[in-house]
Amino acid sequence: MLISQASLEAAYERKVKERTRGILNFLGEVSPGSPASTGPYRMQLAEKFRNRPRGSHHLGRLQRGRTTSSMAGVKDGDLSSRLVLPATITVKNLSVTIKPPANAFQALSRLAGHKQTPGEPKTILNNINLEMPCGSLTAIMGASGSGKTSLLNSLSNTFRNRQLTTSGEILYNGNPDPWTVPSAYVMQDDVLLPDLTVAETLQYAARLRLPPSSDPLGQGAVVDKVIWELGLKDCMSTRIGNNARKGCSGGEKRRTSLGVRLLCNPSVLFLDEVTTGLDALSAFQLVRTLKDLAAKGRTIIVTIHQPRSEIWNLFDRLVLLSEGNLIYSGLAGESILYSHRLGHTLPEYMNPAEFLIDLTTLDTQRPDRGSSSRRHAESLSSAWHAAAQSEKKAGMQQADLSLANVQPGEHPQTFKPGFWRSVIVQTSRTTKVTLRDPLGLTASLLEAVLLGIIAGWIFLNLDKTLSGIRSREGALYCAAVLQGYLVLLQETYRLSSDVKLFDSERMEGVVGVWSFLISRRLSKLLLEDLVVPLIFSVIFYFVAGFELLAAQFFCFFAVVFLCHIVSLHFAAVCVAAFRDFARASLIANLSFTMQSICSGLFIQSDRLPVYVKWIKYIAYVWYANGALVYNEFLAHTSDTLGQLYDCPEPGGFANPACKPFTGVYIVGSLGFPFRSLWTPIVALVAFAAVFIMLSAVLFRFHIPDWSSARVHEVELDSLVDEHRDSPRSSTGRRAPEVRLRNYGLCVRNRSLAKMKTTEVPLFKSINATFMPGVLNFVLGPSGSGKTSGTLSSASGSRSLLNMMTQRLRDGLGSTYQMEGDLLLAGAIASPSVIRSVFSYVQQDDENLIPMLTVRETLQYAASLRLPSWMSSHQKTQAAESVLLKLGLRDCAHTLVGGMTKSGISKGEKRRVTIGVQLLTEPHVLILDEPTSGLDTFTATSIINILRSLTMEGKTIILTIHQPRADHIRDDDQILLLARAGYPVYGGPAQAMLPHFSHLGYDCLRTTSPTDFALDLVTVDLQSAARESETSEKVQSLAVAWKAQEMPEGNFSDDDRTRHIQTPAELRSYERTPASLRTALPILLKRSSVSFRRTPGVLDARIFQVIGFAVIMTLFWAPLKSNYEDVQSRVGYVQQQMGKSTSDPEFETNEQKLMHLPAQDCTLSACSRMWQFTQPSAIDRAYSVESFLLQYTLLELPFEVVSSLLFAVLATMAVGLPRTPTMLFLEAYNCFCLLSCGESLGVIFNTFFDHSGFAVSATSVILSLALMMAGVLSTDLPAFLQAFNHLSPAKWSLGNLAVYSLRGQSFTCTPAQQLADGACPIATGEQVLRLYNLDVRPELYVMALGICCVAYRAAAYVLLKAKTASCTWKMIRK
């Protein structure tokens, strides 16, 4: 049944009349004597909730009627006017529980006989019953942790979680199948492509979600309408951005995500924390848009924190939760009357939403209050269940707009893009994103160029001697195997990031698996997939000196190209099986290791043990190497012996001694059975087809599971009550006054394409004073410059707060030009003083370690950040005090969580982030949106905590969206900024309204002063006429303030003449980082705990080397002493050295750093190494020495154990000389190579900000080191020989080869004997001379140890230099 416009309007009128009757009937039942029982008050309430504004609203003094756009075609593309399938959601007895799973260590403890008490299931939702009819806007409200998001996830049936147990029933139009109605989900985390602009993001979304329009402007009109309605006009040309490349603000990203979902015309729209991060006007406009959508038949369900009164009036229905229990469900207006019935009266001039949330919020700051508030919440829940049961028995149902109230209408057309349309759109989008990432594209092309040049130089002008034949075999192996490995690793890294958007869009049903896979390859075909192998083939083939035959070259290129394509699709298989890079790269490397062993170079493929011989037939590397070998030695010649090389023996090839110089013999010695070049080529094509089908199946049926955080109990509960009221340490010094004098910032963008430079101002000539002892608020709408300014898409955005805290950093194509001065106590302070005095709480909460609990996070922060004179007991007291003050007691034992593991709520994360900075004992605390995403009770608690800090003499500066009226007192300071960063007012809060009144703008008594001020300086972008009118008003306000403030009169001559000369008073504020002795044990413990709780990283770290050793044993054990095993012995040493060198950086360093310090140094992965150096230099939590030493000590046990196990398998199982010397050397070499790999990871990821570029550069260096080690190429040019002295692979191969081959004797069959009856190779010394490895092994052992130490020292020097560079840039700026 479908909804028509006329039937909806009629049904709405009936609903209003029935609601009025219901209100009056309810008021008639109010007990005598209550405030609601009096006649006038009763009629006043009824009139208030019956006649509350529905379509047009007043916001302060600005009328916010429904706007129309002047754009052509927008009217036809109105989102609200499209017909939708009506959907009513009914929930019956819904309960959700979660049981913490046992980790691997608990399982081992049980196996050892230790008893483990299983964790008790935790109830998230308890017996929920409610109805959400079509055409309604429903708000789910409650305090942080009340179950709002869990209920929304259950209703949407979007996320899978095997740890959750759900009971009850959810019906969609009476059907339990959620897919019967189209829906969309807007998550808290925005999944957007950072390199697209806002307009481009919406345009591509429209092409995927809207039907092709006969009107060319049809889709563009809808996109324009979304941009206008969501207030995205000013940022429509700004790139989305991410942590590395700044772009849109958090609020702009939020609105863009909503716009993308609106384009699919859903019947049901779920939104989680829809207004978080938005200013007051943007939040109101957004919810008003949702209200318009609901009025046309959609079912809109939102979770929301701190809605303003104007927003509250837009809600049709309300669901109120407290700790998973239902407190109220019904019409939003009647919720206040229901609270009257229970004896709770709404005070005048109070926001109803704040009143209800305060009514149901648990006070977790004090256990005594928490108990009483919990009993109160339980009584409210019991009262609601009793009322619901009574109403059900009496047969009374609320008069809601449901399917029974409407008449059938026109059937809407649900559009899903066709296959080819989806392919075209995704191909265009991916192509643009690839071109917008010049470093990523350059890394791929540069990798091909460098690898081709240097690898060709290594094998320069291959001769036709026996040594040259060996080098040819190595060169062909490099072309087939190493190039494919680099491609595999790079694609695994990139796809593990890009797959998040695919999962999101596939969940909406707008893209398919096949369209995603095909479009990805089409978009990169001309940019990378064809160009990269072609560049490598052209350079490598001709520099190395292969035959100058066109047919042979094109066959060479075809094999390299096919190997490239197969590697790409194999990476897709790995990512489809495991969405995270840690596990996907582990599988990719282990499988590729087995394939490279079967390639035919290191061990003859026909000499493989029988139990693993079959693996070569499923190894595409074997076919690739075999095709190149056949192309080189057998194809393109008419001679039955194949290609003939320079035999030094007399008699030519009639002499049996010349047999090793024939192509047939060479191919036979490698064990390739191919009789035609087409056989391996067809096999490679088949591999590509199989891998793309397998990845499609895995993407189709393997849906990622959103795992939940475990609850970890620690033995600290006894400390809570004891230290609840413990006093905080205090320095006893009053914080300095902070002044901004003519403070301004602009960004200079350099366009290489247009050869010009443009300057974009962010804010201009700000003069303000931030006083200690009061709260200093920086207010303004989105884009005002208080936190971020809108820049061109080339360079992103920077903030006023970042400028104050010296955190600005120039980009690749942009530099920042700063003006004015920041003065502390009347003088310009040095950067070291600024870093010591200021503590900064950023807007996002990404700097927390996901695998630590809340209590552990605060305790480790206290141990690292509080002064050294405090005892451990006092630091624990301080952490517990902050935990209780911030209301984090109930989630103290819950993991923080992250992208792949859910944990505490967003509001709780914000409080933890604030708590970490509070433990620094800051003199000046700067907070960016500290109340964003918090309920009213928690937000008020945060403000009260900050106010208590001001009483200690600290200077608190904060930006805030949608502040409550009671958050700001008369003596607080306000800096009010308009769009583009123009100051409009700066001074005491009590003087703000008189200032605007003097200019002719009076605040109504029923309007909050902060709401009035924000509305006054906001430019309305939803209408061209309103934009012009409000822009002129804001400009006049800025001019009036500029004329009044007279900055030159605010500073004395003495202030203007004092320069960067830190006075003694300021030097006393300098904070020194924790000493090495203090920080090292804490960092080690923290990292160990996080490491132990990260199963993917733990598995990769433990089983990487051990798994590789097992594979080596399976393929090589036991080594024999015949002629065929000469190649096997040399190949074993080469393969052992190569994989030990190349693996650790990617499978160990990249993943292990994911659990390393993040809250103090902003480091969550190796790709974010730079983010350690800058924040640690600013926060001064601990030193670079502490970080690198704990990093080394943490990896040391794994490296030692892995090396010993590897050595045991190598000497005892494989068949190397079973001597103590050989055992020690195997362990020593493995350890040194692992350590060098770790150091290289730190070096390259510190040196390069772009993580993809760092991975590519590191992989190229490691591959070149492998080729130059001494087996693949036996005759290096002089320059490369000198450069090779820096490679640990050279020294490792040299000493292992000598100790494993010296003294060995080899036998051969009569067919293999030379004319004189001797074997071609009879001793190990001959093998060493053949490969130029007859060296002094003692020197090589010593040189390897020097490399190990030197690499780690180089990593330290680079980290230290980066920190020093950060400090120098601060001084220079």
Side-chain angles (χ1 to χ4, degrees):
M1 186 177 294
L2 282 299
I3 298 178
S4 65
Q5 177 64 25
S7 61
L8 272 172
E9 293 177 353
Y12 178 75
E13 292 297 327
R14 290 194 299 271
K15 174 181 173 183
V16 172
K17 295 178 181 178
E18 292 170 353
R19 175 184 296 178
T20 304
R21 289 196 298 269
I23 294 173
L24 295 176
N25 291 336
F26 170 77
L27 291 173
E29 299 174 359
V30 176
S31 58
S34 66
S37 63
T38 59
Y41 188 72
R42 176 170 173 260
M43 293 304 299
Q44 179 184 358
L45 283 175
E47 187 70 15
K48 174 182 178 181
F49 289 101
R50 185 175 70 84
N51 294 327
R52 61 192 178 119
R54 310 295 297 183
S56 178
H57 305 274
H58 293 269
L59 188 59
R61 300 181 66 252
L62 304 178
Q63 292 186 355
R64 305 299 184 193
R66 198 172 167 188
T67 60
T68 58
S69 174
S70 60
M71 292 184 178
V74 171
K75 183 177 180 181
D76 296 333
D78 192 343
L79 293 173
S80 303
S81 64
R82 292 186 287 166
L83 295 176
V84 296
L85 177 71
T88 295
I89 300 179
T90 305
V91 180
K92 299 180 179 179
N93 303 321
L94 175 64
S95 296
V96 178
T97 59
I98 180 173
K99 184 176 182 180
N103 57 32
F105 288 90
Q106 292 174 340
L108 293 175
S109 299
R110 287 197 298 270
L111 291 176
H114 300 288
K115 294 183 178 181
Q116 294 282 342
T117 302
E120 292 295 329
K122 179 181 179 181
T123 300
I124 299 177
L125 296 174
N126 182 29
N127 196 24
I128 304 297
N129 291 273
L130 50 89
E131 183 179 8
M132 300 174 178
C134 64
S136 63
L137 173 59
T138 302
I140 303 176
M141 294 171 53
S144 296
S146 61
K148 302 185 298 298
T149 300
S150 298
L151 176 58
L152 196 70
N153 292 342
S154 299
L155 294 175
S156 64
N157 194 34
T158 301
F159 300 103
R160 294 178 55 191
N161 194 328
R162 298 183 181 91
Q163 300 174 15
L164 293 180
T165 302
T166 304
S167 61
E169 192 175 24
I170 303 177
L171 302 177
Y172 307 85
N173 287 340
N175 193 326
D177 186 3
W179 302 108
T180 56
V181 294
S183 63
Y185 190 107
V186 181
M187 298 181 292
Q188 288 190 29
D189 299 317
D190 302 305
V191 182
L192 302 169
L193 292 175
D195 291 310
L196 291 181
T197 66
V198 171
E200 290 167 346
T201 299
L202 294 174
Q203 287 166 2
Y204 283 117
R207 293 172 63 184
L208 288 172
R209 292 164 172 83
L210 298 179
S213 175
S214 57
D215 180 4
L217 299 178
Q219 290 184 356
V222 175
V223 171
D224 291 339
K225 181 65 176 177
V226 171
I227 291 175
W228 277 92
E229 287 193 347
L230 299 182
L232 296 171
K233 179 177 177 293
D234 274 5
C235 64
M236 61 185 297
S237 299
T238 302
R239 294 189 188 182
I240 299 297
N242 54 19
N243 290 329
R245 300 182 297 277
K246 296 297 183 181
C248 293
S249 66
E252 291 164 343
K253 290 180 183 178
R254 190 60 153 166
R255 284 174 278 166
T256 304
S257 296
L258 175 59
V260 169
R261 272 44 177 206
L262 290 179
L263 290 169
C264 66
N265 194 30
S267 296
V268 183
L269 185 60
F270 302 97
L271 304 101
D272 192 11
E273 302 296 347
V274 60
T275 61
T276 296
L278 303 184
D279 60 78
L281 178 61
S282 299
F284 173 76
Q285 291 174 339
L286 181 58
V287 178
R288 186 179 61 187
T289 300
L290 297 176
K291 176 62 182 177
D292 292 339
L293 295 173
K296 302 301 180 181
R298 290 176 177 81
T299 304
I300 313 292
I301 306 171
V302 303
T303 64
I304 191 169
H305 278 314
Q306 306 182 57
R308 290 175 51 165
S309 300
E310 292 83 358
I311 294 177
W312 164 262
N313 290 333
L314 296 176
F315 295 137
D316 295 312
R317 300 182 61 84
L318 171 68
V319 175
L320 193 59
L321 298 174
S322 177
E323 284 200 320
N325 295 305
L326 189 61
I327 303 299
Y328 177 81
S329 174
L331 297 175
E334 295 181 4
S335 61
I336 302 300
L337 302 178
Y338 174 75
S339 67
H340 283 305
R341 183 178 180 180
L342 299 179
H344 304 286
T345 304
L346 172 67
E348 288 188 335
Y349 305 114
M350 184 174 185
N351 185 346
E354 297 175 357
F355 167 73
L356 292 173
I357 294 177
D358 292 346
L359 195 64
T360 60
T361 299
L362 303 181
D363 188 349
T364 57
Q365 296 185 20
R366 296 186 58 123
D368 52 348
R369 295 180 182 176
S371 301
S372 61
S373 60
R374 181 171 282 105
R375 288 193 299 268
H376 176 65
E378 292 173 354
S379 66
L380 292 176
S381 177
S382 301
W384 172 252
H385 283 292
Q389 291 295 329
S390 175
E391 181 178 343
K392 183 177 180 181
K393 292 179 180 179
M396 298 173 57
Q397 298 295 332
Q398 293 179 344
D400 295 326
L401 178 61
S402 63
L403 293 176
N405 300 115
V406 298
Q407 301 298 323
E410 182 183 352
H411 194 288
Q413 295 182 356
T414 302
F415 173 74
K416 287 190 176 181
F419 173 76
W420 289 112
R421 179 180 177 84
S422 179
V423 168
I424 292 172
V425 174
Q426 291 184 82
T427 301
S428 174
R429 183 176 65 181
T430 307
T431 302
K432 182 168 291 186
V433 169
T434 303
L435 293 173
R436 291 273 178 85
D437 184 16
L439 280 180
L441 183 59
T442 302
S444 300
L445 300 178
L446 191 61
E447 177 185 298
V449 173
L450 289 179
L451 192 62
I453 292 176
I454 301 179
W457 195 3
I458 293 173
F459 301 101
L460 182 65
N461 294 328
L462 293 168
D463 56 38
K464 296 187 176 182
T465 64
L466 190 60
S467 177
I469 292 173
R470 298 288 186 186
S471 294
R472 286 176 186 268
E473 295 173 358
L476 296 175
Y477 169 84
C478 292
V481 179
L482 292 184
Q483 172 67 10
Y485 172 74
L486 299 181
V487 172
L488 171 64
L489 189 66
Q490 186 181 42
E491 180 66 10
T492 303
Y493 174 81
R494 295 191 302 186
L495 188 57
S496 61
S497 299
D498 298 342
V499 76
K500 296 181 179 66
L501 179 63
F502 162 73
D503 287 332
S504 175
E505 291 183 332
R506 181 172 171 266
M507 182 177 65
E508 298 180 51
V510 297
V511 300
V513 173
W514 282 106
S515 63
F516 168 72
L517 293 175
I518 293 176
S519 65
R520 185 173 180 85
R521 295 278 59 86
L522 288 177
S523 63
K524 296 181 181 295
L525 179 62
L526 297 179
L527 295 176
E528 294 181 3
D529 294 351
L530 185 62
V531 176
V532 168
L534 179 60
I535 292 176
F536 172 79
S537 299
V538 170
I539 297 175
F540 180 73
Y541 187 91
F542 293 106
V543 173
F546 291 106
E547 297 295 331
L548 299 179
L549 297 175
Q552 184 169 331
F553 167 74
F554 283 111
C555 289
F556 179 90
F557 165 69
V559 174
V560 173
F561 172 74
L562 286 174
C563 189
H564 181 98
I565 296 298
V566 173
S567 297
L568 292 173
H569 291 305
F570 183 57
V573 172
C574 297
V575 175
F578 302 99
R579 293 296 203 271
D580 60 289
F581 177 72
R583 291 181 293 175
S585 61
L586 174 63
I587 297 300
N589 274 275
L590 289 179
S591 60
F592 202 89
T593 296
M594 290 189 291
Q595 294 195 69
S596 61
I597 293 174
C598 297
S599 63
L601 178 66
F602 301 118
I603 181 173
Q604 293 185 20
S605 56
D606 56 356
R607 300 282 298 174
L608 291 170
V610 65
Y611 48 84
V612 293
K613 183 176 290 188
W614 58 272
I615 294 180
K616 67 182 181 181
Y617 296 108
I618 61 172
Y620 68 86
V621 171
W622 184 64
Y623 293 95
N625 194 33
L628 292 180
V629 167
Y630 192 97
N631 182 61
E632 171 66 22
F633 296 111
L634 292 180
H636 316 294
T637 181
S638 58
D639 199 304
T640 57
L641 297 178
Q643 295 289 348
L644 304 178
Y645 295 91
D646 298 339
C647 177
E649 302 296 332
F653 289 94
N655 188 341
C658 290
K659 187 188 301 183
F661 293 88
T662 64
V664 172
Y665 179 88
I666 296 170
V667 174
S669 66
L670 295 175
F672 292 112
F674 306 127
R675 296 289 181 261
S676 169
L677 181 60
W678 287 106
T679 301
I681 289 180
V682 171
L684 288 175
V685 174
F687 268 102
V690 169
F691 283 151
I692 192 173
M693 288 188 291
L694 181 57
S695 62
V697 171
L698 289 174
F699 276 126
R700 172 66 178 83
F701 296 103
H702 179 61
I703 301 175
D705 182 24
W706 182 262
S707 59
S708 295
R710 297 187 293 270
V711 177
H712 294 268
E713 299 293 339
V714 293
E715 299 177 357
L716 292 170
D717 291 331
S718 60
L719 296 174
V720 175
D721 295 331
E722 178 183 351
H723 306 312
R724 180 176 66 244
D725 300 316
S726 58
R728 295 291 308 275
S729 61
S730 177
T731 59
R733 293 193 302 268
R734 185 175 179 84
E737 178 185 272
V738 180
R739 284 188 180 184
L740 303 182
R741 183 172 64 189
N742 296 327
Y743 219 48
L745 178 66
C746 69
V747 61
R748 179 174 296 175
N749 296 322
R750 297 182 298 273
S751 176
L752 298 179
K754 299 180 180 180
M755 300 299 293
K756 67 177 184 179
T757 301
T758 59
E759 289 190 1
V760 180
L762 298 185
F763 43 84
K764 294 182 177 180
S765 189
I766 295 178
N767 293 276
T769 301
F770 302 113
M771 305 294 296
V774 297
L775 291 181
N776 300 270
F777 293 88
V778 182
L779 304 179
S782 295
S784 61
K786 58 186 186 301
T787 299
S788 63
T790 302
L791 306 179
S792 66
S793 59
S795 61
S797 64
R798 291 298 185 265
S799 65
L800 167 64
L801 301 187
N802 282 339
M803 181 177 172
M804 293 175 62
T805 53
Q806 304 286 354
R807 295 185 182 227
L808 289 175
R809 183 162 57 96
D810 294 337
L812 182 63
S814 62
T815 57
Y816 289 94
Q817 304 295 323
M818 292 181 282
E819 302 173 354
D821 302 310
L822 185 149
L823 294 88
L824 296 177
I828 303 175
S830 65
S832 62
V833 173
I834 292 178
R835 295 195 307 269
S836 299
V837 170
F838 286 80
S839 288
Y840 186 25
V841 179
Q842 299 183 11
Q843 186 174 1
D844 54 55
D845 304 305
E846 299 177 354
N847 303 334
L848 301 173
I849 301 179
M851 292 302 162
L852 292 182
T853 66
V854 171
R855 173 166 283 154
E856 290 169 343
T857 299
L858 294 176
Q859 288 188 337
Y860 287 128
S863 300
L864 288 169
R865 293 169 175 260
L866 290 177
S868 57
W869 54 263
M870 296 180 65
S871 65
S872 299
H873 187 68
Q874 289 175 318
K875 292 180 179 181
T876 302
Q877 287 180 340
E880 290 298 327
S881 175
V882 169
L883 185 142
L884 293 175
K885 283 183 178 180
L886 295 176
L888 297 170
R889 175 187 171 90
D890 288 347
C891 62
H893 302 312
T894 305
L895 295 181
V896 171
M899 288 296 296
T900 58
K901 182 174 289 294
S902 62
I904 58 179
S905 67
K906 193 171 185 179
E908 291 165 338
K909 284 184 180 179
R910 171 49 52 93
R911 283 179 276 166
V912 174
T913 303
I914 295 174
V916 170
Q917 291 297 332
L918 290 180
L919 289 169
T920 312
E921 292 287 355
H923 301 288
V924 179
L925 179 61
I926 296 182
L927 306 99
D928 186 10
E929 301 295 341
T931 62
S932 179
L934 305 184
D935 59 82
T936 55
F937 175 81
T938 307
T940 302
S941 300
I942 293 294
I943 296 298
N944 291 338
I945 291 172
L946 297 178
R947 198 170 295 282
S948 67
L949 293 176
T950 64
M951 298 178 183
E952 300 176 6
K954 301 185 185 302
T955 303
I956 309 295
I957 307 171
L958 66 156
T959 66
I960 193 169
H961 277 317
Q962 309 178 45
R964 290 178 53 160
D966 56 355
H967 286 173
I968 302 179
R969 296 179 180 176
D970 290 344
D971 56 347
D972 291 334
Q973 296 286 315
I974 292 180
L975 173 61
L976 184 61
L977 302 177
R979 294 191 72 86
Y982 288 99
V984 175
Y985 175 77
Q990 60 185 357
M992 182 178 67
L993 293 183
H995 168 74
F996 290 124
S997 178
H998 178 72
L999 298 177
Y1001 300 96
D1002 296 319
C1003 177
L1004 301 177
R1005 295 182 60 84
T1006 57
T1007 302
S1008 167
T1010 54
D1011 292 346
F1012 162 77
L1014 289 173
D1015 295 340
L1016 196 62
V1017 300
T1018 299
V1019 177
D1020 191 345
L1021 301 176
Q1022 291 189 302
S1023 166
R1026 290 290 302 154
E1027 180 183 4
S1028 176
E1029 177 186 346
T1030 53
S1031 295
E1032 292 178 1
K1033 177 188 63 178
V1034 171
Q1035 290 178 4
S1036 65
L1037 293 174
V1039 171
W1041 175 250
K1042 184 67 176 177
Q1044 177 179 338
E1045 64 174 352
M1046 293 183 301
E1048 293 301 320
N1050 293 338
F1051 300 94
S1052 65
D1053 294 336
D1054 184 57
D1055 287 335
R1056 289 190 292 270
T1057 57
R1058 297 173 70 177
H1059 301 290
I1060 308 177
Q1061 192 69 35
T1062 304
E1065 178 186 354
L1066 290 185
R1067 291 193 182 276
S1068 64
Y1069 290 106
E1070 289 195 28
R1071 184 172 63 244
T1072 59
S1075 65
L1076 180 64
R1077 180 179 179 182
T1078 301
L1080 183 59
I1082 301 170
L1083 293 176
L1084 279 174
K1085 184 178 180 181
R1086 184 177 69 176
S1087 299
S1088 300
V1089 170
S1090 177
F1091 187 86
R1092 177 166 50 87
R1093 293 175 185 166
T1094 311
V1097 177
L1098 187 64
D1099 296 343
R1101 185 61 177 165
I1102 293 177
F1103 296 110
Q1104 176 66 40
V1105 178
I1106 298 177
F1108 175 66
V1110 172
I1111 292 174
M1112 297 275 287
T1113 303
L1114 289 175
F1115 279 91
W1116 267 280
L1119 287 173
K1120 299 178 182 179
S1121 298
N1122 50 40
Y1123 177 70
E1124 291 84 356
D1125 278 342
V1126 171
Q1127 178 182 346
S1128 298
R1129 286 180 178 271
V1130 176
Y1132 176 82
V1133 175
Q1134 170 72 21
Q1135 189 75 355
Q1136 170 189 339
M1137 178 276 310
K1139 296 306 292 182
S1140 297
T1141 303
S1142 60
D1143 284 348
E1145 191 277 333
F1146 303 108
E1147 290 70 57
T1148 302
N1149 199 45
E1150 172 75 18
Q1151 299 140 19
K1152 187 167 69 63
L1153 280 174
M1154 292 174 65
H1155 68 276
L1156 284 178
Q1159 64 189 36
D1160 297 299
C1161 61
T1162 325
L1163 179 63
S1164 64
C1166 185
S1167 61
R1168 298 169 62 188
M1169 182 65 69
W1170 158 252
Q1171 290 176 285
F1172 159 73
T1173 58
Q1174 187 180 11
S1176 65
I1178 297 173
D1179 290 344
R1180 302 181 67 84
Y1182 48 83
S1183 62
V1184 172
E1185 292 80 3
S1186 300
F1187 160 73
L1188 196 59
L1189 186 56
Q1190 68 91 26
Y1191 174 79
T1192 302
L1193 294 178
L1194 183 66
E1195 74 184 24
L1196 196 60
F1198 294 97
E1199 292 180 352
V1200 171
V1201 173
S1202 300
S1203 300
L1204 289 175
L1205 292 176
F1206 185 92
V1208 170
L1209 289 174
T1211 55
M1212 301 300 175
V1214 175
L1216 294 178
R1218 298 178 179 177
T1219 62
T1221 302
M1222 197 69 225
L1223 179 65
F1224 167 77
L1225 286 174
E1226 281 285 347
Y1228 173 78
N1229 279 268
C1230 185
F1231 172 81
C1232 290
L1233 291 173
L1234 285 171
S1235 179
C1236 289
E1238 299 279 356
S1239 300
L1240 280 177
V1242 176
I1243 290 172
F1244 278 93
N1245 285 282
T1246 304
F1247 196 81
F1248 298 107
D1249 293 339
H1250 192 284
S1251 55
F1253 193 89
V1255 170
S1256 299
T1258 311
S1259 60
V1260 169
I1261 295 298
L1262 294 177
S1263 299
L1264 294 176
L1266 177 64
M1267 286 188 285
M1268 295 189 299
V1271 172
L1272 299 181
S1273 178
T1274 59
D1275 188 17
L1276 289 175
F1279 172 78
L1280 292 181
Q1281 288 183 12
F1283 183 78
N1284 200 27
H1285 285 75
L1286 301 176
S1287 171
K1290 167 185 173 65
W1291 309 113
S1292 176
L1293 181 67
N1295 74 78
L1296 284 177
V1298 172
Y1299 281 107
S1300 62
L1301 289 171
R1302 182 175 291 174
Q1304 295 290 323
S1305 299
F1306 301 100
T1307 60
C1308 60
T1309 63
Q1312 297 170 337
Q1313 292 177 353
L1314 300 177
D1316 58 358
C1319 293
I1321 297 179
T1323 64
E1325 285 72 9
Q1326 288 180 281
V1327 179
L1328 295 175
R1329 286 193 295 271
L1330 176 64
Y1331 289 97
N1332 297 325
L1333 293 175
D1334 191 10
V1335 297
R1336 294 180 59 185
E1338 300 84 0
L1339 296 179
Y1340 277 57
V1341 170
M1342 182 177 63
L1344 180 61
I1346 295 174
C1347 274
C1348 179
V1349 176
Y1351 274 44
R1352 190 53 53 99
Y1356 164 74
V1357 170
L1358 189 58
L1359 276 173
K1360 196 73 174 177
K1362 201 98 179 191
T1363 306
S1365 174
C1366 172
T1367 304
W1368 167 248
K1369 288 180 179 179
M1370 294 176 189
I1371 298 175
R1372 179 175 58 84
K1373 287 180 180 297

